[in-house]
Amino acid sequence: MKNFLLIFNHTLAPEQKEWAKEHFGPCRFIVMPDDLKEAWAQVPSQTKSLLSWTKPFRKWVGREGKKGDLVLIQGDFGAAYLMVNYAFKLGLVPIHATTGRKARETRLPDGTVKMEHEFRFCRFRKYGE
C-alpha cells in the first residue's frame, strides 16, 4: 500500500480520497503533525530564502515517505517548489489537486463588485505532467 503524504492547508474531502484510491490504488493518508501544518499555513513573507525554513518539512517527508509514495504539495509557491524538488530527489511522486472553477460577479448599488468563487475538485495531477 502506498503512503499518500499531505503537505497542504486543507483536509482531504471524501471525493478526493476516493479519486486517489481509484487512480493510484490503496493509499494510507498521512497528515503532517500539527506544528508543521500550522507552519505551512504561515510561510514567512519577509524571509529571503525558504531553504532552511523547509528543513522540518523535508525531514518529515524523508521519515514518512518511501520511493514511489505520493505526496500532495500545495501552498506558497516558493515553499511548494522546494518541496516538489525534494520529493523528486527522494523518488517520491509529487502531485497537486486540480479544480473546476465558477465565478459570479454581482454589481452592487453603490458601484462595488461582489465576487463569489466556487471550486470543485476534478483530479490529482503529477507535477511535471
Side-chain angles (χ1 to χ4, degrees):
M1 178 181 302
K2 288 184 183 181
N3 288 330
F4 191 114
L5 307 174
L6 304 173
I7 301 179
F8 79 139
N9 296 328
H10 307 285
T11 302
L12 279 184
E15 62 268 21
Q16 290 175 305
K17 288 182 178 182
E18 288 304 314
W19 195 97
K21 289 176 183 176
E22 182 179 325
H23 292 86
F24 298 128
C27 297
R28 185 180 85 141
F29 298 97
I30 303 176
V31 178
M32 288 187 293
D34 288 342
D35 62 326
L36 291 181
K37 285 194 322 189
E38 289 174 23
W40 191 256
Q42 299 296 324
V43 177
S45 58
Q46 298 301 319
T47 302
K48 183 177 179 180
S49 171
L50 292 175
L51 192 57
S52 65
W53 183 85
T54 58
K55 186 176 180 178
F57 302 96
R58 293 192 313 269
K59 186 176 178 181
W60 178 76
V61 166
R63 185 176 61 246
E64 296 292 336
K66 61 185 181 309
K67 189 174 182 173
D69 281 347
L70 302 157
V71 57
L72 175 62
I73 304 171
Q74 291 187 197
D76 175 87
F77 293 123
Y81 173 83
L82 291 171
M83 293 307 299
V84 167
N85 283 333
Y86 187 67
F88 278 129
K89 181 179 175 182
L90 295 179
L92 302 174
V93 180
I95 62 173
H96 60 96
T98 66
T99 57
R101 303 165 188 223
K102 292 182 184 177
R104 283 184 288 285
E105 184 177 299
T106 306
R107 297 218 175 259
L108 302 177
D110 67 357
T112 60
V113 177
K114 178 182 176 182
M115 294 292 297
E116 293 180 72
H117 296 273
E118 182 180 305
F119 300 91
R120 182 171 303 278
F121 171 75
C122 293
R123 62 170 296 122
F124 291 113
R125 183 179 298 137
K126 295 176 184 177
Y127 277 96
E129 292 185 1

